[in-house]
Amino acid sequence: MGNANKKLNENDLALLKNTESSTGMDKKALLKEYKKFKKQFPTGGINKEQFREMAGSFLPPQQRSEEFINRLFNAFDSDRSGQVDFHEFMLAMTMCSSDNPEDKLRFCFRSLDIDASGYLDRQEILYAVQLIFKHNPGLEKRVAPDVNTPEKVVTKIFESVDQNGDNKLTCEELIEFMHNDPKTFSYLGLNLIFLT
């Protein structure tokens, strides 16, 4: 990192090294992003209000609701500190843009796990399925009768994915189901929830 290190303290260097390790990004590109991040967010983090403003500039209008942005913020703020630091920001961006479906699924899982319990309950899944129906008017007429309402889809998802019947979906259960039965994963709209 050469002379650019002169303005970086030990904490900055440790953060960059950790972020490089977690994301696999090139050192020079990472340093460039870090400088932009620090310039835009001098406190070293993005608070919820700043995140809301930023998200409003790139999200489509139908995804600018308070609830959606809060869920997205939670996915970025992995330690739930109330601020998205550089490491969290770069890790989330890497996961979002990854070609690896497991990375995308893990990121989306975090956005839906609003209470940070480590699992998704029926209400958290219902929220995502309702969004699919809301953003696809007439969907209920184009799909099979057993999945023509959000509630029916949620029931099918839990019947198919919830291996131990505890009414909680873990990220691992979803990943395993995605690999073992990709056709049903897609049929239930899980690809739309977790892989887009």
Side-chain angles (χ1 to χ4, degrees), residues 16 25-40 86 89-90 93:
L16 285 167
M25 283 185 69
D26 171 72
K27 283 182 184 182
K28 285 184 181 181
L30 197 58
L31 181 59
K32 182 179 176 184
E33 291 300 321
Y34 185 64
K35 287 180 177 180
K36 287 193 312 192
F37 187 89
K38 289 290 279 188
K39 185 175 182 178
Q40 189 171 359
F86 178 74
F89 183 77
M90 294 309 296
M93 295 303 289

mmCIF file with all atom_site columns, all heavy atoms in Angstrom, residues 16 25-40 86 89-90 93:
data_model
loop_
_atom_site.group_PDB
_atom_site.id
_atom_site.type_symbol
_atom_site.label_atom_id
_atom_site.label_alt_id
_atom_site.label_comp_id
_atom_site.label_asym_id
_atom_site.label_entity_id
_atom_site.label_seq_id
_atom_site.pdbx_PDB_ins_code
_atom_site.Cartn_x
_atom_site.Cartn_y
_atom_site.Cartn_z
_atom_site.occupancy
_atom_site.B_iso_or_equiv
_atom_site.pdbx_formal_charge
_atom_site.auth_seq_id
_atom_site.auth_comp_id
_atom_site.auth_asym_id
_atom_site.auth_atom_id
_atom_site.pdbx_PDB_model_num
ATOM 1   N N   . LEU A 1 16 ? -8.470  -2.908 7.021  1.00 0.00 ? 16 LEU A N   1
ATOM 2   C CA  . LEU A 1 16 ? -8.251  -3.192 5.601  1.00 0.00 ? 16 LEU A CA  1
ATOM 3   C C   . LEU A 1 16 ? -7.781  -4.635 5.386  1.00 0.00 ? 16 LEU A C   1
ATOM 4   O O   . LEU A 1 16 ? -8.248  -5.310 4.466  1.00 0.00 ? 16 LEU A O   1
ATOM 5   C CB  . LEU A 1 16 ? -7.252  -2.206 5.007  1.00 0.00 ? 16 LEU A CB  1
ATOM 6   C CG  . LEU A 1 16 ? -7.796  -0.802 4.762  1.00 0.00 ? 16 LEU A CG  1
ATOM 7   C CD1 . LEU A 1 16 ? -6.672  0.176  4.479  1.00 0.00 ? 16 LEU A CD1 1
ATOM 8   C CD2 . LEU A 1 16 ? -8.804  -0.807 3.635  1.00 0.00 ? 16 LEU A CD2 1
ATOM 9   N N   . MET A 1 25 ? -10.903 -8.921 -2.156 1.00 0.00 ? 25 MET A N   1
ATOM 10  C CA  . MET A 1 25 ? -10.643 -7.778 -3.023 1.00 0.00 ? 25 MET A CA  1
ATOM 11  C C   . MET A 1 25 ? -9.157  -7.469 -3.100 1.00 0.00 ? 25 MET A C   1
ATOM 12  O O   . MET A 1 25 ? -8.405  -7.717 -2.171 1.00 0.00 ? 25 MET A O   1
ATOM 13  C CB  . MET A 1 25 ? -11.379 -6.530 -2.507 1.00 0.00 ? 25 MET A CB  1
ATOM 14  C CG  . MET A 1 25 ? -12.856 -6.521 -2.800 1.00 0.00 ? 25 MET A CG  1
ATOM 15  S SD  . MET A 1 25 ? -13.624 -4.959 -2.279 1.00 0.00 ? 25 MET A SD  1
ATOM 16  C CE  . MET A 1 25 ? -12.910 -3.801 -3.464 1.00 0.00 ? 25 MET A CE  1
ATOM 17  N N   . ASP A 1 26 ? -8.769  -6.873 -4.200 1.00 0.00 ? 26 ASP A N   1
ATOM 18  C CA  . ASP A 1 26 ? -7.414  -6.400 -4.431 1.00 0.00 ? 26 ASP A CA  1
ATOM 19  C C   . ASP A 1 26 ? -7.088  -5.264 -3.451 1.00 0.00 ? 26 ASP A C   1
ATOM 20  O O   . ASP A 1 26 ? -7.936  -4.400 -3.194 1.00 0.00 ? 26 ASP A O   1
ATOM 21  C CB  . ASP A 1 26 ? -7.331  -5.904 -5.885 1.00 0.00 ? 26 ASP A CB  1
ATOM 22  C CG  . ASP A 1 26 ? -6.042  -5.195 -6.177 1.00 0.00 ? 26 ASP A CG  1
ATOM 23  O OD1 . ASP A 1 26 ? -5.010  -5.882 -6.252 1.00 0.00 ? 26 ASP A OD1 1
ATOM 24  O OD2 . ASP A 1 26 ? -6.075  -3.958 -6.324 1.00 0.00 ? 26 ASP A OD2 1
ATOM 25  N N   . LYS A 1 27 ? -5.855  -5.244 -2.932 1.00 0.00 ? 27 LYS A N   1
ATOM 26  C CA  . LYS A 1 27 ? -5.450  -4.250 -1.937 1.00 0.00 ? 27 LYS A CA  1
ATOM 27  C C   . LYS A 1 27 ? -5.636  -2.815 -2.432 1.00 0.00 ? 27 LYS A C   1
ATOM 28  O O   . LYS A 1 27 ? -6.134  -1.962 -1.711 1.00 0.00 ? 27 LYS A O   1
ATOM 29  C CB  . LYS A 1 27 ? -3.982  -4.441 -1.552 1.00 0.00 ? 27 LYS A CB  1
ATOM 30  C CG  . LYS A 1 27 ? -3.731  -5.573 -0.623 1.00 0.00 ? 27 LYS A CG  1
ATOM 31  C CD  . LYS A 1 27 ? -2.251  -5.650 -0.272 1.00 0.00 ? 27 LYS A CD  1
ATOM 32  C CE  . LYS A 1 27 ? -1.988  -6.866 0.602  1.00 0.00 ? 27 LYS A CE  1
ATOM 33  N NZ  . LYS A 1 27 ? -0.582  -6.949 1.002  1.00 0.00 ? 27 LYS A NZ  1
ATOM 34  N N   . LYS A 1 28 ? -5.205  -2.562 -3.663 1.00 0.00 ? 28 LYS A N   1
ATOM 35  C CA  . LYS A 1 28 ? -5.293  -1.197 -4.188 1.00 0.00 ? 28 LYS A CA  1
ATOM 36  C C   . LYS A 1 28 ? -6.752  -0.755 -4.344 1.00 0.00 ? 28 LYS A C   1
ATOM 37  O O   . LYS A 1 28 ? -7.100  0.366  -3.996 1.00 0.00 ? 28 LYS A O   1
ATOM 38  C CB  . LYS A 1 28 ? -4.561  -1.090 -5.523 1.00 0.00 ? 28 LYS A CB  1
ATOM 39  C CG  . LYS A 1 28 ? -3.060  -1.084 -5.386 1.00 0.00 ? 28 LYS A CG  1
ATOM 40  C CD  . LYS A 1 28 ? -2.371  -0.889 -6.713 1.00 0.00 ? 28 LYS A CD  1
ATOM 41  C CE  . LYS A 1 28 ? -0.859  -0.921 -6.518 1.00 0.00 ? 28 LYS A CE  1
ATOM 42  N NZ  . LYS A 1 28 ? -0.149  -0.716 -7.774 1.00 0.00 ? 28 LYS A NZ  1
ATOM 43  N N   . ALA A 1 29 ? -7.580  -1.635 -4.867 1.00 0.00 ? 29 ALA A N   1
ATOM 44  C CA  . ALA A 1 29 ? -8.997  -1.309 -5.033 1.00 0.00 ? 29 ALA A CA  1
ATOM 45  C C   . ALA A 1 29 ? -9.650  -1.089 -3.672 1.00 0.00 ? 29 ALA A C   1
ATOM 46  O O   . ALA A 1 29 ? -10.459 -0.169 -3.497 1.00 0.00 ? 29 ALA A O   1
ATOM 47  C CB  . ALA A 1 29 ? -9.710  -2.417 -5.795 1.00 0.00 ? 29 ALA A CB  1
ATOM 48  N N   . LEU A 1 30 ? -9.290  -1.897 -2.721 1.00 0.00 ? 30 LEU A N   1
ATOM 49  C CA  . LEU A 1 30 ? -9.838  -1.792 -1.378 1.00 0.00 ? 30 LEU A CA  1
ATOM 50  C C   . LEU A 1 30 ? -9.428  -0.471 -0.719 1.00 0.00 ? 30 LEU A C   1
ATOM 51  O O   . LEU A 1 30 ? -10.256 0.219  -0.107 1.00 0.00 ? 30 LEU A O   1
ATOM 52  C CB  . LEU A 1 30 ? -9.368  -2.976 -0.540 1.00 0.00 ? 30 LEU A CB  1
ATOM 53  C CG  . LEU A 1 30 ? -10.114 -3.261 0.741  1.00 0.00 ? 30 LEU A CG  1
ATOM 54  C CD1 . LEU A 1 30 ? -11.588 -3.513 0.476  1.00 0.00 ? 30 LEU A CD1 1
ATOM 55  C CD2 . LEU A 1 30 ? -9.511  -4.487 1.425  1.00 0.00 ? 30 LEU A CD2 1
ATOM 56  N N   . LEU A 1 31 ? -8.177  -0.113 -0.868 1.00 0.00 ? 31 LEU A N   1
ATOM 57  C CA  . LEU A 1 31 ? -7.690  1.155  -0.307 1.00 0.00 ? 31 LEU A CA  1
ATOM 58  C C   . LEU A 1 31 ? -8.433  2.334  -0.941 1.00 0.00 ? 31 LEU A C   1
ATOM 59  O O   . LEU A 1 31 ? -8.832  3.273  -0.242 1.00 0.00 ? 31 LEU A O   1
ATOM 60  C CB  . LEU A 1 31 ? -6.186  1.291  -0.513 1.00 0.00 ? 31 LEU A CB  1
ATOM 61  C CG  . LEU A 1 31 ? -5.550  2.560  0.053  1.00 0.00 ? 31 LEU A CG  1
ATOM 62  C CD1 . LEU A 1 31 ? -5.777  2.682  1.554  1.00 0.00 ? 31 LEU A CD1 1
ATOM 63  C CD2 . LEU A 1 31 ? -4.063  2.592  -0.270 1.00 0.00 ? 31 LEU A CD2 1
ATOM 64  N N   . LYS A 1 32 ? -8.629  2.275  -2.236 1.00 0.00 ? 32 LYS A N   1
ATOM 65  C CA  . LYS A 1 32 ? -9.357  3.342  -2.933 1.00 0.00 ? 32 LYS A CA  1
ATOM 66  C C   . LYS A 1 32 ? -10.784 3.463  -2.379 1.00 0.00 ? 32 LYS A C   1
ATOM 67  O O   . LYS A 1 32 ? -11.266 4.564  -2.105 1.00 0.00 ? 32 LYS A O   1
ATOM 68  C CB  . LYS A 1 32 ? -9.376  3.044  -4.434 1.00 0.00 ? 32 LYS A CB  1
ATOM 69  C CG  . LYS A 1 32 ? -10.048 4.094  -5.268 1.00 0.00 ? 32 LYS A CG  1
ATOM 70  C CD  . LYS A 1 32 ? -9.993  3.732  -6.754 1.00 0.00 ? 32 LYS A CD  1
ATOM 71  C CE  . LYS A 1 32 ? -10.755 4.735  -7.574 1.00 0.00 ? 32 LYS A CE  1
ATOM 72  N NZ  . LYS A 1 32 ? -10.804 4.361  -8.985 1.00 0.00 ? 32 LYS A NZ  1
ATOM 73  N N   . GLU A 1 33 ? -11.450 2.323  -2.216 1.00 0.00 ? 33 GLU A N   1
ATOM 74  C CA  . GLU A 1 33 ? -12.820 2.320  -1.671 1.00 0.00 ? 33 GLU A CA  1
ATOM 75  C C   . GLU A 1 33 ? -12.838 2.831  -0.235 1.00 0.00 ? 33 GLU A C   1
ATOM 76  O O   . GLU A 1 33 ? -13.754 3.537  0.166  1.00 0.00 ? 33 GLU A O   1
ATOM 77  C CB  . GLU A 1 33 ? -13.437 0.916  -1.744 1.00 0.00 ? 33 GLU A CB  1
ATOM 78  C CG  . GLU A 1 33 ? -13.737 0.447  -3.144 1.00 0.00 ? 33 GLU A CG  1
ATOM 79  C CD  . GLU A 1 33 ? -14.710 1.348  -3.892 1.00 0.00 ? 33 GLU A CD  1
ATOM 80  O OE1 . GLU A 1 33 ? -15.684 1.843  -3.276 1.00 0.00 ? 33 GLU A OE1 1
ATOM 81  O OE2 . GLU A 1 33 ? -14.498 1.564  -5.100 1.00 0.00 ? 33 GLU A OE2 1
ATOM 82  N N   . TYR A 1 34 ? -11.830 2.444  0.539  1.00 0.00 ? 34 TYR A N   1
ATOM 83  C CA  . TYR A 1 34 ? -11.754 2.870  1.933  1.00 0.00 ? 34 TYR A CA  1
ATOM 84  C C   . TYR A 1 34 ? -11.629 4.390  2.024  1.00 0.00 ? 34 TYR A C   1
ATOM 85  O O   . TYR A 1 34 ? -12.294 5.029  2.843  1.00 0.00 ? 34 TYR A O   1
ATOM 86  C CB  . TYR A 1 34 ? -10.580 2.186  2.631  1.00 0.00 ? 34 TYR A CB  1
ATOM 87  C CG  . TYR A 1 34 ? -10.501 2.474  4.109  1.00 0.00 ? 34 TYR A CG  1
ATOM 88  C CD1 . TYR A 1 34 ? -11.515 2.059  4.964  1.00 0.00 ? 34 TYR A CD1 1
ATOM 89  C CD2 . TYR A 1 34 ? -9.421  3.160  4.647  1.00 0.00 ? 34 TYR A CD2 1
ATOM 90  C CE1 . TYR A 1 34 ? -11.453 2.321  6.327  1.00 0.00 ? 34 TYR A CE1 1
ATOM 91  C CE2 . TYR A 1 34 ? -9.343  3.409  6.013  1.00 0.00 ? 34 TYR A CE2 1
ATOM 92  C CZ  . TYR A 1 34 ? -10.365 2.990  6.840  1.00 0.00 ? 34 TYR A CZ  1
ATOM 93  O OH  . TYR A 1 34 ? -10.296 3.240  8.192  1.00 0.00 ? 34 TYR A OH  1
ATOM 94  N N   . LYS A 1 35 ? -10.790 4.967  1.188  1.00 0.00 ? 35 LYS A N   1
ATOM 95  C CA  . LYS A 1 35 ? -10.614 6.426  1.199  1.00 0.00 ? 35 LYS A CA  1
ATOM 96  C C   . LYS A 1 35 ? -11.920 7.132  0.828  1.00 0.00 ? 35 LYS A C   1
ATOM 97  O O   . LYS A 1 35 ? -12.276 8.140  1.438  1.00 0.00 ? 35 LYS A O   1
ATOM 98  C CB  . LYS A 1 35 ? -9.478  6.834  0.266  1.00 0.00 ? 35 LYS A CB  1
ATOM 99  C CG  . LYS A 1 35 ? -8.115  6.478  0.819  1.00 0.00 ? 35 LYS A CG  1
ATOM 100 C CD  . LYS A 1 35 ? -7.002  6.893  -0.130 1.00 0.00 ? 35 LYS A CD  1
ATOM 101 C CE  . LYS A 1 35 ? -5.646  6.602  0.488  1.00 0.00 ? 35 LYS A CE  1
ATOM 102 N NZ  . LYS A 1 35 ? -4.548  7.002  -0.401 1.00 0.00 ? 35 LYS A NZ  1
ATOM 103 N N   . LYS A 1 36 ? -12.618 6.606  -0.180 1.00 0.00 ? 36 LYS A N   1
ATOM 104 C CA  . LYS A 1 36 ? -13.914 7.198  -0.550 1.00 0.00 ? 36 LYS A CA  1
ATOM 105 C C   . LYS A 1 36 ? -14.910 7.071  0.606  1.00 0.00 ? 36 LYS A C   1
ATOM 106 O O   . LYS A 1 36 ? -15.644 8.010  0.901  1.00 0.00 ? 36 LYS A O   1
ATOM 107 C CB  . LYS A 1 36 ? -14.475 6.512  -1.807 1.00 0.00 ? 36 LYS A CB  1
ATOM 108 C CG  . LYS A 1 36 ? -13.761 6.885  -3.079 1.00 0.00 ? 36 LYS A CG  1
ATOM 109 C CD  . LYS A 1 36 ? -14.474 6.476  -4.365 1.00 0.00 ? 36 LYS A CD  1
ATOM 110 C CE  . LYS A 1 36 ? -14.968 5.076  -4.424 1.00 0.00 ? 36 LYS A CE  1
ATOM 111 N NZ  . LYS A 1 36 ? -15.407 4.644  -5.770 1.00 0.00 ? 36 LYS A NZ  1
ATOM 112 N N   . PHE A 1 37 ? -14.937 5.910  1.238  1.00 0.00 ? 37 PHE A N   1
ATOM 113 C CA  . PHE A 1 37 ? -15.849 5.665  2.344  1.00 0.00 ? 37 PHE A CA  1
ATOM 114 C C   . PHE A 1 37 ? -15.567 6.641  3.493  1.00 0.00 ? 37 PHE A C   1
ATOM 115 O O   . PHE A 1 37 ? -16.489 7.250  4.039  1.00 0.00 ? 37 PHE A O   1
ATOM 116 C CB  . PHE A 1 37 ? -15.706 4.212  2.819  1.00 0.00 ? 37 PHE A CB  1
ATOM 117 C CG  . PHE A 1 37 ? -16.701 3.788  3.852  1.00 0.00 ? 37 PHE A CG  1
ATOM 118 C CD1 . PHE A 1 37 ? -17.924 3.246  3.492  1.00 0.00 ? 37 PHE A CD1 1
ATOM 119 C CD2 . PHE A 1 37 ? -16.411 3.911  5.217  1.00 0.00 ? 37 PHE A CD2 1
ATOM 120 C CE1 . PHE A 1 37 ? -18.845 2.839  4.449  1.00 0.00 ? 37 PHE A CE1 1
ATOM 121 C CE2 . PHE A 1 37 ? -17.320 3.515  6.187  1.00 0.00 ? 37 PHE A CE2 1
ATOM 122 C CZ  . PHE A 1 37 ? -18.546 2.977  5.797  1.00 0.00 ? 37 PHE A CZ  1
ATOM 123 N N   . LYS A 1 38 ? -14.283 6.782  3.861  1.00 0.00 ? 38 LYS A N   1
ATOM 124 C CA  . LYS A 1 38 ? -13.903 7.675  4.964  1.00 0.00 ? 38 LYS A CA  1
ATOM 125 C C   . LYS A 1 38 ? -14.221 9.135  4.639  1.00 0.00 ? 38 LYS A C   1
ATOM 126 O O   . LYS A 1 38 ? -14.584 9.904  5.525  1.00 0.00 ? 38 LYS A O   1
ATOM 127 C CB  . LYS A 1 38 ? -12.413 7.523  5.290  1.00 0.00 ? 38 LYS A CB  1
ATOM 128 C CG  . LYS A 1 38 ? -12.049 6.222  5.946  1.00 0.00 ? 38 LYS A CG  1
ATOM 129 C CD  . LYS A 1 38 ? -12.555 6.117  7.356  1.00 0.00 ? 38 LYS A CD  1
ATOM 130 C CE  . LYS A 1 38 ? -11.637 6.854  8.288  1.00 0.00 ? 38 LYS A CE  1
ATOM 131 N NZ  . LYS A 1 38 ? -11.969 6.642  9.699  1.00 0.00 ? 38 LYS A NZ  1
ATOM 132 N N   . LYS A 1 39 ? -14.082 9.489  3.372  1.00 0.00 ? 39 LYS A N   1
ATOM 133 C CA  . LYS A 1 39 ? -14.388 10.868 2.973  1.00 0.00 ? 39 LYS A CA  1
ATOM 134 C C   . LYS A 1 39 ? -15.893 11.123 3.072  1.00 0.00 ? 39 LYS A C   1
ATOM 135 O O   . LYS A 1 39 ? -16.322 12.154 3.571  1.00 0.00 ? 39 LYS A O   1
ATOM 136 C CB  . LYS A 1 39 ? -13.899 11.124 1.541  1.00 0.00 ? 39 LYS A CB  1
ATOM 137 C CG  . LYS A 1 39 ? -14.065 12.550 1.090  1.00 0.00 ? 39 LYS A CG  1
ATOM 138 C CD  . LYS A 1 39 ? -13.463 12.777 -0.282 1.00 0.00 ? 39 LYS A CD  1
ATOM 139 C CE  . LYS A 1 39 ? -13.599 14.229 -0.674 1.00 0.00 ? 39 LYS A CE  1
ATOM 140 N NZ  . LYS A 1 39 ? -12.984 14.511 -1.968 1.00 0.00 ? 39 LYS A NZ  1
ATOM 141 N N   . GLN A 1 40 ? -16.691 10.160 2.628  1.00 0.00 ? 40 GLN A N   1
ATOM 142 C CA  . GLN A 1 40 ? -18.146 10.322 2.657  1.00 0.00 ? 40 GLN A CA  1
ATOM 143 C C   . GLN A 1 40 ? -18.709 10.139 4.064  1.00 0.00 ? 40 GLN A C   1
ATOM 144 O O   . GLN A 1 40 ? -19.690 10.788 4.430  1.00 0.00 ? 40 GLN A O   1
ATOM 145 C CB  . GLN A 1 40 ? -18.808 9.335  1.696  1.00 0.00 ? 40 GLN A CB  1
ATOM 146 C CG  . GLN A 1 40 ? -20.284 9.589  1.519  1.00 0.00 ? 40 GLN A CG  1
ATOM 147 C CD  . GLN A 1 40 ? -20.892 8.756  0.395  1.00 0.00 ? 40 GLN A CD  1
ATOM 148 O OE1 . GLN A 1 40 ? -20.214 7.988  -0.273 1.00 0.00 ? 40 GLN A OE1 1
ATOM 149 N NE2 . GLN A 1 40 ? -22.178 8.928  0.187  1.00 0.00 ? 40 GLN A NE2 1
ATOM 150 N N   . PHE A 1 86 ? -16.992 0.076  7.418  1.00 0.00 ? 86 PHE A N   1
ATOM 151 C CA  . PHE A 1 86 ? -16.433 -0.212 6.099  1.00 0.00 ? 86 PHE A CA  1
ATOM 152 C C   . PHE A 1 86 ? -16.390 -1.717 5.818  1.00 0.00 ? 86 PHE A C   1
ATOM 153 O O   . PHE A 1 86 ? -16.752 -2.160 4.737  1.00 0.00 ? 86 PHE A O   1
ATOM 154 C CB  . PHE A 1 86 ? -15.028 0.392  5.972  1.00 0.00 ? 86 PHE A CB  1
ATOM 155 C CG  . PHE A 1 86 ? -14.373 0.101  4.653  1.00 0.00 ? 86 PHE A CG  1
ATOM 156 C CD1 . PHE A 1 86 ? -14.786 0.750  3.500  1.00 0.00 ? 86 PHE A CD1 1
ATOM 157 C CD2 . PHE A 1 86 ? -13.349 -0.836 4.555  1.00 0.00 ? 86 PHE A CD2 1
ATOM 158 C CE1 . PHE A 1 86 ? -14.194 0.480  2.271  1.00 0.00 ? 86 PHE A CE1 1
ATOM 159 C CE2 . PHE A 1 86 ? -12.748 -1.106 3.343  1.00 0.00 ? 86 PHE A CE2 1
ATOM 160 C CZ  . PHE A 1 86 ? -13.176 -0.451 2.193  1.00 0.00 ? 86 PHE A CZ  1
ATOM 161 N N   . PHE A 1 89 ? -19.834 -2.968 5.119  1.00 0.00 ? 89 PHE A N   1
ATOM 162 C CA  . PHE A 1 89 ? -20.291 -2.451 3.829  1.00 0.00 ? 89 PHE A CA  1
ATOM 163 C C   . PHE A 1 89 ? -19.679 -3.231 2.668  1.00 0.00 ? 89 PHE A C   1
ATOM 164 O O   . PHE A 1 89 ? -20.390 -3.684 1.767  1.00 0.00 ? 89 PHE A O   1
ATOM 165 C CB  . PHE A 1 89 ? -19.941 -0.957 3.711  1.00 0.00 ? 89 PHE A CB  1
ATOM 166 C CG  . PHE A 1 89 ? -20.436 -0.319 2.455  1.00 0.00 ? 89 PHE A CG  1
ATOM 167 C CD1 . PHE A 1 89 ? -21.767 0.026  2.314  1.00 0.00 ? 89 PHE A CD1 1
ATOM 168 C CD2 . PHE A 1 89 ? -19.566 -0.055 1.415  1.00 0.00 ? 89 PHE A CD2 1
ATOM 169 C CE1 . PHE A 1 89 ? -22.233 0.614  1.138  1.00 0.00 ? 89 PHE A CE1 1
ATOM 170 C CE2 . PHE A 1 89 ? -20.012 0.530  0.242  1.00 0.00 ? 89 PHE A CE2 1
ATOM 171 C CZ  . PHE A 1 89 ? -21.359 0.870  0.104  1.00 0.00 ? 89 PHE A CZ  1
ATOM 172 N N   . MET A 1 90 ? -18.378 -3.413 2.705  1.00 0.00 ? 90 MET A N   1
ATOM 173 C CA  . MET A 1 90 ? -17.707 -4.112 1.605  1.00 0.00 ? 90 MET A CA  1
ATOM 174 C C   . MET A 1 90 ? -18.092 -5.590 1.561  1.00 0.00 ? 90 MET A C   1
ATOM 175 O O   . MET A 1 90 ? -18.272 -6.160 0.481  1.00 0.00 ? 90 MET A O   1
ATOM 176 C CB  . MET A 1 90 ? -16.190 -3.948 1.710  1.00 0.00 ? 90 MET A CB  1
ATOM 177 C CG  . MET A 1 90 ? -15.706 -2.521 1.510  1.00 0.00 ? 90 MET A CG  1
ATOM 178 S SD  . MET A 1 90 ? -16.340 -1.694 0.019  1.00 0.00 ? 90 MET A SD  1
ATOM 179 C CE  . MET A 1 90 ? -15.617 -2.693 -1.266 1.00 0.00 ? 90 MET A CE  1
ATOM 180 N N   . MET A 1 93 ? -21.581 -5.755 0.051  1.00 0.00 ? 93 MET A N   1
ATOM 181 C CA  . MET A 1 93 ? -21.531 -5.474 -1.384 1.00 0.00 ? 93 MET A CA  1
ATOM 182 C C   . MET A 1 93 ? -20.952 -6.664 -2.142 1.00 0.00 ? 93 MET A C   1
ATOM 183 O O   . MET A 1 93 ? -21.427 -7.014 -3.228 1.00 0.00 ? 93 MET A O   1
ATOM 184 C CB  . MET A 1 93 ? -20.708 -4.212 -1.665 1.00 0.00 ? 93 MET A CB  1
ATOM 185 C CG  . MET A 1 93 ? -21.332 -2.945 -1.104 1.00 0.00 ? 93 MET A CG  1
ATOM 186 S SD  . MET A 1 93 ? -23.005 -2.627 -1.709 1.00 0.00 ? 93 MET A SD  1
ATOM 187 C CE  . MET A 1 93 ? -22.674 -2.190 -3.386 1.00 0.00 ? 93 MET A CE  1
#
